[in-house]
Amino acid sequence: MDPILFRRGVDKREIRKRFRERLGRNGIVVAPGVFLPITAMLAAAEGFEAIYFGGAAFSNMLGLPDLGVFTLTELAMQVSHISETVDLPLIVDVDTGFGEAINVARTVRVMEDAGAAAIHLEDQEFPKKCGHLGGKRVVPVEDMIKKIRAAVDARRDENFIIIARTDARDVNGIEDAIDRANAYVEAGADMIFPESLHDEDEFRLVAQRVKAPLLANMTEFGKTPYITAKRFEELGYKVVIFPVTTFRYAMGAVRKALRTIKEEGTQKSLLGDMMSREEIYELIGYWDYEKWDKELAEESSKQAARRVKA
Ligand SMILES: C[C@](O)(C(=O)O)[C@H](CC(=O)O)C(=O)O
Ligand SMILES: [Mg+2]
C-alpha cells in the first residue's frame, strides 16, 4: 500500500475501464461498504476488488437519518477522500440524484471528478428512505427515465457505470419492479439494482427477466434474507454490496469499548480485538513518511552545508 501523500495512483479512467471489463467477465464482484478512507485502505489490503460508499452509513456517520439530508458537496468531499486512498473501483450511492434531471447531470459530473467508478440512482420520491423500510413512494417511471437519460448524457467517461435502482418491489410489487428495470435499461442504465427483494425466488425472477448486469444488496436487518455471495452469483448477479456491514460492526465495537472503559476503568480486556498501533501504521505507510522526512532533512542539511562552504 502506498502512503496517500506519495502515491501517484492509477488514473480513475483506467480504473473505470478495468471495472467495466471486470463486469464482463465471470464471477461476482463483492463490494463491502467503506465509510472512511482508512476502511477503504483496509478493504484493498484484504484483497477486495471493489468498494461501496452508501448513503445510510454516511448519513448515520454524521448523526443524521438516511432521508436524503446530506448535500452533494458533502458527499463529493468524502468520496474524494476515499477514492484518493485506493485504486479500487468505488461504487457510490447518490440517492435520488439531489434533485431533478438537471441536478442528476451535475451529480454525475461531480462524482466523476471525485473519482467514483459507478453511481446508483434510485426511483424514490423525495424525501427518500432506506430501501428496506416501509412507507416508500416511487416517482412515475417517465421521471426516472428522464433522470437516467440525463445521467448517461452527462458522463464524460463512457466507462463510468450508471446503476439504476428501483424501489418498486415494496411499493407496487415485483412485476412493476421488473417492468421498471427493463425501462431503465432501455433508457441507458448499465446495471440494475432491484432493491429490497424478499427471497431467492424474487432474485432469480429478476435475473431471468431483466437483461442487464445486476447488483444485489446484502444489507443486514432488512427485508432480504442472508444470502451468500456465491449464491448470488448462482442466481445471476454480477455485484453484491454489503453496504453497512463494516459501519454497523464498528459501531458495535465502539459501544463495547465505551462500556468497557466505563465499567472496568481500563481497556486491557479489549486489546485483542483492536488493530494494534503497529498494524495501523503499517496500513497507512507511517514508516515511509518517517523515512522520507528523514531523508529530506539530511539532503537539506547537505545542501545548506554546501552553501556555507562555497
Ligand atoms: C444500500 C443503501 O442504500 C445504503 O445507503 O447503503 C441502504 C442500506 C441500508 O439502509 O441498510 C438501503 O437503502 O438499502
Ligand atoms: Mg442508500
Side-chain angles (χ1 to χ4, degrees):
M1 175 67 56
D2 299 334
I4 305 173
L5 287 180
F6 304 157
R7 65 195 303 275
R8 299 280 176 267
V10 180
D11 188 83
K12 296 301 175 192
R13 281 187 172 260
E14 180 60 26
I15 304 273
R16 295 186 196 117
K17 183 165 161 274
R18 290 181 199 167
F19 189 45
R20 196 182 273 284
E21 282 163 9
R22 172 63 186 88
L23 295 175
R25 290 199 298 273
N26 282 342
I28 194 160
V29 174
V30 178
V34 296
F35 53 94
L36 287 172
I38 194 167
T39 61
M41 292 167 106
L42 198 51
E46 292 299 318
F48 283 92
E49 286 185 276
I51 47 177
Y52 175 81
F53 187 65
F58 187 42
S59 326
N60 293 175
M61 221 175 83
L62 298 172
L64 294 170
D66 186 16
L67 293 167
V69 188
F70 57 80
T71 65
L72 173 59
T73 312
E74 288 172 325
L75 176 67
M77 185 173 282
Q78 192 70 0
V79 168
S80 300
H81 286 154
I82 291 172
S83 77
E84 75 181 8
T85 62
V86 290
D87 290 328
L88 294 177
L90 172 60
I91 304 167
V92 179
D93 176 2
V94 299
D95 287 349
T96 58
F98 300 95
E100 297 305 323
I102 195 161
N103 308 92
V104 169
R106 171 121 167 89
T107 297
V108 166
R109 291 290 173 96
V110 171
M111 284 300 127
E112 279 183 332
D113 289 342
I119 51 162
H120 71 72
L121 180 71
E122 70 205 34
D123 59 4
Q124 286 196 55
E125 262 181 39
F126 204 78
K128 52 103 350 98
K129 293 183 110 185
C130 157
H132 293 255
L133 294 184
K136 292 190 294 180
R137 294 160 307 155
V138 290
V139 296
V141 68
E142 57 269 30
D143 291 6
M144 182 62 174
I145 289 175
K146 190 176 168 201
K147 283 188 174 183
I148 294 166
R149 295 179 82 108
V152 172
D153 253 14
R155 74 177 159 201
R156 287 157 295 187
D157 183 349
E158 60 180 7
N159 292 315
F160 183 80
I161 307 264
I162 292 159
I163 305 166
R165 159 171 154 178
T166 179
D167 281 76
R169 159 65 185 91
D170 281 333
V171 185
N172 302 325
I174 192 76
E175 281 302 321
D176 187 51
I178 292 170
D179 264 13
R180 281 173 176 257
N182 283 317
Y184 302 163
V185 174
E186 206 182 309
D190 299 294
M191 187 178 268
I192 295 294
F193 170 176
E195 174 63 317
S196 185
L197 301 190
H198 292 203
D199 53 37
E200 285 197 15
D201 288 345
E202 291 190 353
F203 279 100
R204 192 181 300 104
L205 193 66
V206 170
Q208 281 163 354
R209 307 252 311 270
V210 178
K211 295 293 160 241
L214 298 169
L215 178 148
N217 175 9
M218 189 59 267
T219 194
E220 306 79 19
F221 317 118
K223 301 225 166 115
T224 303
Y226 296 97
I227 298 173
T228 64
K230 187 87 204 99
R231 187 74 191 124
F232 275 124
E233 180 176 324
E234 287 162 7
L235 290 167
Y237 287 71
K238 197 72 249 177
V239 175
V240 57
I241 57 170
F242 288 81
V244 204
T245 311
T246 58
F247 175 74
R248 290 186 179 127
Y249 194 79
M251 285 304 291
V254 171
R255 184 175 57 189
K256 183 176 165 195
L258 292 171
R259 287 180 180 170
T260 303
I261 295 168
K262 195 154 181 225
E263 284 157 25
E264 300 174 13
T266 169
Q267 70 278 58
K268 266 175 127 176
S269 66
L270 298 171
L271 296 180
D273 295 336
M274 290 186 193
M275 272 185 85
S276 66
R277 178 194 295 271
E278 188 72 26
E279 286 169 329
I280 289 176
Y281 283 7
E282 186 65 39
L283 184 62
I284 63 168
Y286 181 92
W287 314 113
D288 295 326
Y289 287 114
E290 217 172 45
K291 186 164 160 277
W292 173 82
D293 197 47
K294 193 160 162 264
E295 282 167 7
L296 203 59
E298 280 164 10
E299 293 302 321
S300 304
S301 305
K302 277 187 208 153
Q303 185 187 327
R306 279 197 302 272
R307 284 174 58 84
V308 172
K309 272 185 218 145

